[in-house]
Amino acid sequence: MHRISAALLSSLAVVTLANVASAADAGNGEKLARRWCVSCHVVAADQRQGNTQADPFSAMAKLPGLDAGKLALYLLLPHPKMPDMNLSRSEAADLAAYIAKQGR
Ligand code: HEC
C-alpha cells in the first residue's frame, strides 16, 4: 500500500511539473543557467569550459528518457554534488525547458 501511494505521488509530481514545463520560459532558463550553472556545466554552445565532472547541457538533453518534466523535478530535489540553489518551481521549469532545447 505504502509503495503504491509513493509511486502514485511521484508520478503526480511529474505530471504537475510537466504541465508547468509546458508553460516554461526557455529564455529565462538561459539567463538562469548563465548565472547559476556555468561554473560547472557547459550551458551553451558559445561556452568553452566547464567542470569535467558535470555534463554539458547539450549532452543532458540527449539522455534517453530525460524530458523537461523530469529535469525540472530533478532540479527541485537536493543532490549531493550540486549546491542547493533553492530554485523556485518556475525557475526549475524554465531551466528544464532551456536544457531540453539544447538537444535539438
Ligand atoms: C558546483 C558545480 C555545479 C553547479 C553550480 C551546477 N551543477 Fe549540475 N551537476 C554537477 C555535477 C558534478 C553533476 C553530476 C552529478 C552526479 O554525477 O551525480 C551534475 C548533474 C546535473 C544534472 C543531472 C544530469 C546529469 O547529467 O548528471 C542536471 C540536470 C544538472 N546538473 C543541472 C544543473 C543546473 C540546471 C544547474 C544550474 C541551476 C546546475 N546543474 C549547477 C555540478 C554542478
Side-chain angles (χ1 to χ4, degrees):
M1 189 56 202
H2 211 77
R3 211 183 259 177
I4 294 173
S5 50
L8 197 69
L9 269 181
S10 64
S11 56
L12 272 177
V14 170
V15 170
T16 312
L17 283 164
N19 288 340
V20 172
S22 63
D25 177 353
N28 187 47
E30 175 170 8
K31 274 190 230 145
L32 293 169
R34 288 184 189 272
R35 189 174 324 147
W36 296 109
C37 323
V38 275
S39 51
C40 302
H41 294 275
V42 172
V43 306
D46 63 10
Q47 185 195 340
R48 289 289 148 83
Q49 277 184 332
N51 173 324
T52 45
Q53 275 191 309
D55 284 350
F57 282 6
S58 56
M60 257 179 226
K62 289 181 190 127
L63 293 174
L66 200 66
D67 56 23
K70 287 201 190 115
L71 277 168
L73 187 62
Y74 176 88
L75 291 174
L76 290 173
L77 300 171
H79 27 275
K81 289 192 189 159
M82 274 166 52
D84 186 355
M85 286 166 284
N86 270 317
L87 296 167
S88 72
R89 278 172 154 248
S90 75
E91 285 170 335
D94 291 354
L95 278 162
Y98 174 65
I99 294 171
K101 257 180 60 178
Q102 300 301 297
R104 291 186 209 130

